[in-house]
Amino acid sequence: MATATLSQFRNEPLIDFSQPANRQAMEKALQKVRSEFGREYPLRIAGEEIRTGDKLVSVNPSNTSETVGIHHKATAELANRVVEQSFAAFPKWSATPDKDRVRMTVEAARLIRERKLEFDAWLVYEAGKTWPEADADVSEAIDFCEYYAREMERLSGPQPVVQLPGEHDEMIYIPLGVGVVIPPWNFPLAILVGMTIASLVTGNVAIVKPSSETPTIAAKFAEVLLAAGFPPHSFTLLTGSGAAVGDVLVQHPKTRYVSFTGSRDVGLRINELAAKTQPGQVWIKRVIAEMGGKDAIVVDADSDLDKAVDGVLVSAFGYQGQKCSACSRAIVDAKVYDQFLAKLAPKAKAIKVGNSADPGNYMGPVISAGARQSILEYIEVGKKEGRLVAGDSPVPGNGYYVAPTIIADIEAKDRIFQEEIFGPVLAVAKAENFEHALELANDSQYGLTGAVYSNNPEHLREARRRFHVGNLYFNRKCTGAMVGAHPFGGFNMSGTDSKAGGPDYLLLFLQAKSVAAKV
Ligand code: NAD
């Protein structure tokens, strides 16, 4: 194993916006970013600027008359070209010494840290994140770089294997080849950075297709990669429609793997397309797919109800419920059900919703008109299935706003209990007892995050054993996984359980080679 040169990993501290100096600095960053609104971003392929003329206009979801950035969309033909060029670049890039790639990765972290407030501001304007949510996203992006740099140091060079008499035995990790990286818009920096950096630090060539909702943030990250020393042939940012460009990238015989985070349906489609061997293809493509969630918080009869209410509230409505880890089902023991709702509903109604650039708002807009429409339709379904106790009220403003909505008396068969809504809509179900609550929690095709509020150690032991989710939390919210401490990834239709930010993750981007020499 290579000698570690980096200090022990530590999570990036969050900015405290209650400090006047930090608030002023953020206001300045917002102003600076606004001055760049409407800029045009050409495609950059192997250092060449390309303008296809087919434009993608990214708007501010808090104020839809503002254009954040204008991007040129790639074509299927360009996508083919990029895979061929990336394949040709792989031998050179993969031969870069590990320590150089680690150095570039740490430098990328440093550059994002240096521009942290600016990145925060881009996330406020393009993704509709409030200041603290934006800062958590950017901090996580820095964490991924720092953590994976250290992981690559650990995985560099020969790994410990048994030495047979008369032989010198080794096992080393080598990169896979050309990887297609497809992130979602909801962690437009953290997930984009995590999947891209994992690809690059391990020596793969990355083709990154950002979400059409957040292309400007991706363009800013591409600037960071180049400034950190990653050569233009090591990665391409290929902005374009998932349908037009995605299939070409996924199906190309020279694509070696796909690293995807997004919805269940798109993930399943990618998995299916990638499984079909194309003429000339000489490997089985690897698919790393992290997908949706329908995450539950179980509230036991014996629990601190105020803490449970607050935990459900932040998990359900933080970033407008648009987190794969968001609590969309609260499953509450019948003994405390009415009391729980009586405490929860007024707190949800008191949440301030509005422009995410205004730090007085706890919730900003949802990402797009389409998302808003789909969420409102689910609220209509929910009103028929259960009892509306908060929300479904208009929010003024020129953005895609949806009020925090709670629908009680929901049963396991109901659509809003089973389907991912991806917005500020919480279904509340009554459980007969703790056993029933666990059954309800597991009554889902998904298995991403979950939490239990309980003071009963036996119940917590039972949940540890039987609550079938990739990330389980006790007496705390079910969102906010921290790199290093909470390796993140789900079971069943939530994905391939890749455990981002954990010690197993980089192995997904590597393959092991065993070398034995007679001595
Ligand atoms: P999405 O599936 O609509 O899009 C994800 C990405 O796939 C985007 O970049 C999109 O352009 C691309 N895409 C769309 N069609 C494609 C195709 N045919 N081929 C290739 N790429 C294609 O998801 P979204 O709306 O961006 O994100 C929200 C979803 O992501 C939710 O379901 C959420 O739960 C999930 N998510 C999961 C995790 C996790 O770690 N499990 C984390 C964040 C988000």
Side-chain angles (χ1 to χ4, degrees), residues 180-187 191 209-214 240-250 258 260-267 269-270 273 289-295 322-326 367 420 422 446 448 488-490 493-495 498 500:
V180 173
V181 172
I182 308 181
W185 51 263
N186 74 325
F187 279 85
I191 295 180
K209 200 224 71 66
S211 165
S212 302
E213 309 292 357
T214 48
S241 122
V245 174
D247 284 3
V248 176
L249 296 175
V250 169
V258 182
F260 168 82
T261 305
S263 63
R264 180 200 60 180
D265 291 354
V266 174
R269 180 181 159 76
I270 286 174
L273 289 181
E290 290 310 315
M291 314 193 300
K294 190 71 197 175
D295 311 303
Q322 301 173 116
K323 298 183 187 176
C324 52
S325 55
I367 192 69
E420 186 182 43
F422 221 57
Y446 296 105
L448 188 48
F488 192 79
M493 282 299 173
S494 289
S498 66

